[in-house]
Amino acid sequence: MAMQTHKPDLAPGFSNINHVPGYQVPYGYPQHAPGTYQGVAGAGSYGFQVQAMRVPSELAVPPIQNQPVVKEGTIWMPIPPPLPNCPPGLQYLTQIDQILIHQQIELLEILTGFETNNKYEIKNALGQRVYFAAEDTDCCTRNCCGPSRPFTIRIIDNLGHEVITLQRPLRCSSCCFPCCLQEMEVQAPPGTPVGYVVQNWHACLPKFTIQDEKRMDILKITGPCVACSCCDDVNFEVKSLDETATVGRISKQWTGFLKEAFTDADNFGIAFPMDLDVKMKAVMIGACFLVDFMFFEHAGDNQQRVGVWQ
């Protein structure tokens, strides 16, 4: 009888965005080195588990770490081996083409309306935590500037190392002032810029450019005219520079009426090519956080922006 492979389910919150998901490639199989997108479709699925052979203890060698790590009840993604020319901590991104960003609900914020630092879980398609992200902003800035506030978001891996730092300066939140639009710097490791997310002026649509560390344009992001999440997902398309080909997507996912109405805890899905440069994958994560704060973070009056003019 032929052995049937087990195909793992996607994590809750992923929606069908016409993108073929890739699964975690077992260690020992060829990995995509960081590079530019070559138009390769999904890398296929590997759902089997290799059974370890029993060998004499004197011949045994330490196995490569290839099992999920459980820490304090949370299942973390297996620790990949370091890769050449890859910033430390970003090797996780070489093995995934979809991630889910889940904002944690803050009880104090719900009960009092007092804005607290946002915290996020970043998971892969199997529901394993890849990173944990936490905002680092002082109390006065959070509650006076609201969603327009400048912030630093620190992203750590399962070893507790800060591997990505996102920095957003204080900028204008309306396209009425095209000379001072939104921007975010992405650092990996902290202190080393790997890319930028820059808002582009447009009369109707949310538009952004993803740049590398040399400020060279790499990708474009285009959102809907009305970025309102009402019983459906809101999609921001990631496109080539000439905007003729879609290479990825950032989706704000509908989480239900009660959660949408009474909290600003959002779920986002990000899809990108498996062989996209890991630095650009990290910048796309930064773009997701910028989109969240610009359009889906509730202000002090519990109002939400729905477009570039509001």
Side-chain angles (χ1 to χ4, degrees), residues 131 152 181 189 260 272:
Y131 301 116
T152 297
L181 295 178
E260 295 282 347
F272 37 60

Side-chain angles (χ1 to χ4, degrees), residues 19 93 96-99 247-248 270-274 276 281 284:
H19 180 81
L93 300 179
I96 57 179
D97 61 359
Q98 285 192 1
I99 58 176
V247 299
I270 306 177
F272 37 60
M274 181 74 77
L276 182 68
K281 290 183 180 182
M284 283 185 62

Side-chain angles (χ1 to χ4, degrees), residues 273-306:
M274 181 74 77
D275 60 348
L276 182 68
D277 189 332
V278 290
K279 296 179 182 179
M280 294 303 100
K281 290 183 180 182
V283 178
M284 283 185 62
I285 293 175
C288 181
F289 284 108
L290 183 59
V291 165
D292 180 27
F293 273 82
M294 287 184 62
F295 299 105
F296 303 106
E297 182 83 357
H298 294 170
D301 56 1
N302 208 35
Q303 296 298 312
Q304 176 185 321
R305 291 186 66 189
V306 295

Side-chain angles (χ1 to χ4, degrees), residues 81-104:
L83 295 175
N85 302 320
C86 178
L90 297 193
Q91 62 267 29
Y92 295 90
L93 300 179
T94 65
Q95 301 182 1
I96 57 179
D97 61 359
Q98 285 192 1
I99 58 176
L100 175 69
I101 299 180
H102 171 64
Q103 183 177 350
Q104 294 185 345

Side-chain angles (χ1 to χ4, degrees), residues 27 62 158 307:
Y27 300 121
N158 63 0

